[in-house]
Amino acid sequence: MHWGSGFWPVFPLIWVGIIAFFCWGASRWFGWRARQRHFEMPGEPNAMEILRRRYARGEIDGTTFDQMRERLESSAQPRY
């Protein structure tokens, strides 16, 4: 009887785990996932800028602009 003869199916799983661990480490090291977490692309206007542009084009009136601006500003503040 050989040592480990009943454990031979486990060894490939160990190697897969080691390879997965190194891939995970490489992704953390190089920041691949961190780059995917950005909700706003550089150069893309934020909500306030879109609101200002709509007001400047005349799509919304002053009252609507003020209401929407207040909502945006209140949602940006931290809640306790």
Side-chain angles (χ1 to χ4, degrees):
M1 182 171 191
H2 292 93
W3 180 85
S5 62
F7 295 106
W8 69 268
V10 177
F11 292 120
L13 294 176
I14 292 172
W15 280 109
V16 168
I18 291 170
I19 291 169
F21 176 76
F22 280 111
C23 290
W24 173 79
S27 70
R28 300 280 295 174
W29 179 266
F30 294 112
W32 293 329
R33 291 179 187 225
R35 283 187 231 139
Q36 295 174 353
R37 290 185 184 150
H38 293 293
F39 295 108
E40 226 173 82
M41 297 297 291
E44 186 176 320
N46 60 13
M48 189 62 76
E49 182 62 29
I50 293 171
L51 182 62
R52 287 185 185 116
R53 288 179 185 181
R54 290 184 64 196
Y55 180 66
R57 285 192 297 255
E59 294 177 9
I60 57 175
D61 62 351
T63 307
T64 306
F65 174 80
D66 290 334
Q67 291 173 349
M68 294 175 84
R69 180 183 47 81
E70 288 174 7
R71 283 186 192 161
L72 287 173
E73 289 172 349
S74 67
S75 67
Q77 296 174 355
R79 296 180 182 160
Y80 298 104

